Amino acid sequence: MAFRGGNASSGMGVDEHSKSTFLELQRKKVYRYVIFKIDEKKKEVVVEKTGGPAESYSDFAASMPENDCRYAVYDFDFVTSENCQKSKIFFIAWSPSVSRIRAKMLYATSKDRFRRELEGIHYEIQATDRSEMDLDVLRERAN
């Protein structure tokens, strides 16, 4: 759906705070998750909310708006079948079917550029409803 080529600056910019917040989640484990939104006035992706290490996946899922798009990264901790503690970073593109068409298009066309700015993501999930980003989906992908 996204137009490839043409104007290389299409899509939204990424503010420095978004990048540094992601790095704090990735390297320092300061956050369990970060939710990003597109600021249309600034034409860039900004941090909307962060969740501390003690927050649960339910807290994270509840923070996603019912009727608007968002990007999010979630640091998923799990134990492998060999009993090893592991952590994988998920990028979630949240685009509920009830959100505005303009928002869906904006998020769809900006996603690849934004995701490229965040190095070290293991998995990506596209979700149009809560069941598509259920904790079981993450578990399945991580193992």
Side-chain angles (χ1 to χ4, degrees):
M1 185 168 107
F3 175 70
R4 300 273 174 246
N7 181 357
S9 67
S10 66
M12 295 286 147
V14 180
D15 81 343
E16 282 306 314
H17 181 63
S18 290
K19 289 188 228 177
S20 62
T21 304
F22 172 73
L23 288 174
E24 287 179 328
L25 172 141
Q26 182 187 33
R27 299 196 179 137
K28 300 184 183 138
K29 305 276 186 200
V30 176
Y31 308 112
R32 170 69 52 205
Y33 62 86
V34 183
I35 297 173
F36 303 94
K37 73 175 193 176
I38 289 177
D39 182 327
E40 291 189 54
K41 286 187 184 71
K42 288 187 187 168
K43 293 214 179 308
E44 61 186 11
V45 178
V46 299
V47 173
E48 180 178 54
K49 181 177 197 279
T50 55
E55 289 203 41
S56 71
Y57 192 77
S58 309
D59 298 328
F60 163 68
S63 300
M64 295 298 236
E66 288 292 325
N67 56 2
D68 201 4
C69 305
R70 291 293 183 270
Y71 302 126
V73 288
Y74 185 84
D75 188 7
F76 179 60
D77 292 331
F78 62 102
V79 178
T80 66
S81 51
E82 295 84 44
N83 217 17
C84 294
Q85 185 68 40
K86 289 233 169 140
S87 167
K88 296 284 183 193
I89 296 174
F90 279 80
F91 178 88
I92 298 168
W94 173 242
S95 184
S97 40
V98 295
S99 49
R100 296 182 343 266
I101 289 182
R102 176 174 161 66
K104 288 185 208 176
M105 286 181 62
L106 196 56
Y107 277 80
T109 55
S110 302
K111 180 182 69 109
D112 289 343
R113 179 172 175 206
F114 177 56
R115 201 193 140 167
R116 273 198 305 274
E117 298 282 346
L118 309 178
E119 287 181 35
I121 287 176
H122 300 104
Y123 301 105
E124 180 176 319
I125 290 177
Q126 300 266 352
T128 57
D129 69 50
R130 302 240 181 243
S131 69
E132 294 174 343
M133 55 173 269
D134 193 70
L135 192 54
D136 291 337
V137 174
L138 271 66
R139 257 189 220 109
E140 210 170 277
R141 292 287 294 278
N143 280 319

